[in-house]
Amino acid sequence: IETSAETIHLGAGVRVADLATAQLPGAAGWLLSETAGGIASQPLRNAITLGGNVMHLASWADHPVALLALNATVHVVHQQRAEFDLTIGELVAEHPHRALPVGSLLLGFTVPVMGDRCGADYRRFRTTATDYSLVTVAAVVALDGKRCSHAALAIGAVGPRPVRSPRAEKALVGSTLTRRTLIKAAALAIEDTHIVPNYRMAPEVRTRILGVEVRRALEAAAKRARADS
């Protein structure tokens, strides 16, 4: 784990337990640590690595969602020792095993440190504290005065891959983050997201839960952004 005024660099072998207790800067650092602290149980957090959590890319995996909301850059080295970068969106668009050429090794991730008046939130809906998530949401917002200058909303666990909600993000930027605005953004997020049927919960129920969790995540992120000065 290496930090600077502009970036947070995380090696692929960083344990989730260490990430949960790391003192990382800004809203991005808070989101990464908060996400790590809620993953599974302590024994599993001691064993799971950040790179493994991303490369396995289970539908309920948490860090792919958080990294997607933070516009992370992914660092890879090929067997011929040629290093290259790609975005987290490119890595998880299908599956990392298909996104990376054979003979590649994941090295780590770089996340930009968010500036002042920025807040984030991460929410997961599950039936028990260590259960697989049925809905996950990562929200990041930045304020310029009373208006939103940046918004990122990533959603996971409702389909095979985490996704961003571009229409919800567009609706938020330039707006004051009133309850009405956040409800509208939640509705657009639902429209942007394809919920795959799951034997554990009916799609219409997960749809309602997704709308509530998106609104709550945006409310919490906005509150933290207002408090950050």
Side-chain angles (χ1 to χ4, degrees):
I1 300 175
E2 298 177 350
T3 63
S4 69
E6 294 81 25
T7 61
I8 301 169
H9 177 75
L10 303 168
V14 170
R15 296 187 310 159
V16 168
D18 295 329
L19 187 54
T21 57
Q23 299 298 312
L24 302 176
W30 182 92
L31 179 58
L32 290 166
S33 294
E34 180 72 11
T35 302
I39 290 177
S41 61
Q42 186 63 47
L44 286 174
R45 289 193 292 273
N46 291 340
I48 296 170
T49 63
L50 178 61
N53 194 243
V54 173
M55 289 299 292
H56 181 56
L57 200 63
S59 64
W60 56 83
D62 292 287
H63 275 298
V65 183
L67 291 168
L68 189 61
L70 293 171
N71 296 318
T73 299
V74 183
H75 307 296
V76 180
V77 63
H78 192 260
Q79 61 184 357
Q80 297 176 343
R81 296 189 178 277
E83 294 189 18
F84 64 96
D85 295 342
L86 68 163
T87 67
I88 187 67
E90 292 170 330
L91 184 68
V92 303
E94 293 186 60
H95 194 283
H97 295 169
R98 289 192 287 271
L100 300 180
V102 174
S104 297
L105 178 68
L106 177 66
L107 297 177
F109 309 88
T110 297
V111 173
V113 172
M114 311 301 291
D116 293 339
R117 302 210 71 202
C118 182
D121 193 61
Y122 190 82
R123 303 191 66 86
R124 49 171 74 80
F125 183 91
R126 51 194 180 185
T127 56
T128 69
T130 59
D131 191 19
Y132 296 139
S133 297
L134 292 166
V135 173
T136 55
V137 177
V140 179
V141 297
L143 299 179
D144 183 3
K146 294 184 178 181
R147 295 187 179 275
C148 177
S149 59
H150 169 78
L153 185 64
I155 296 165
V158 297
R161 310 285 178 264
V163 295
R164 290 275 290 264
S165 177
R167 290 200 299 162
E169 294 170 355
K170 184 177 180 181
L172 291 167
V173 174
S175 302
T176 54
L177 300 181
T178 62
R179 184 177 177 83
R180 182 175 182 178
T181 301
L182 300 186
I183 290 174
K184 177 183 177 182
L188 290 171
I190 290 173
E191 293 177 10
D192 279 346
T193 307
H194 175 62
I195 298 180
V196 176
N198 185 304
Y199 73 93
R200 303 178 68 208
M201 184 176 286
E204 57 269 23
V205 178
R206 294 172 85 193
T207 299
R208 292 182 64 185
I209 291 170
L210 174 61
V212 172
E213 296 290 26
V214 167
R215 177 180 56 79
R216 288 176 174 173
L218 290 170
E219 285 177 343
K223 183 177 180 180
R224 292 190 179 98
R226 294 186 187 104
D228 181 25
S229 60

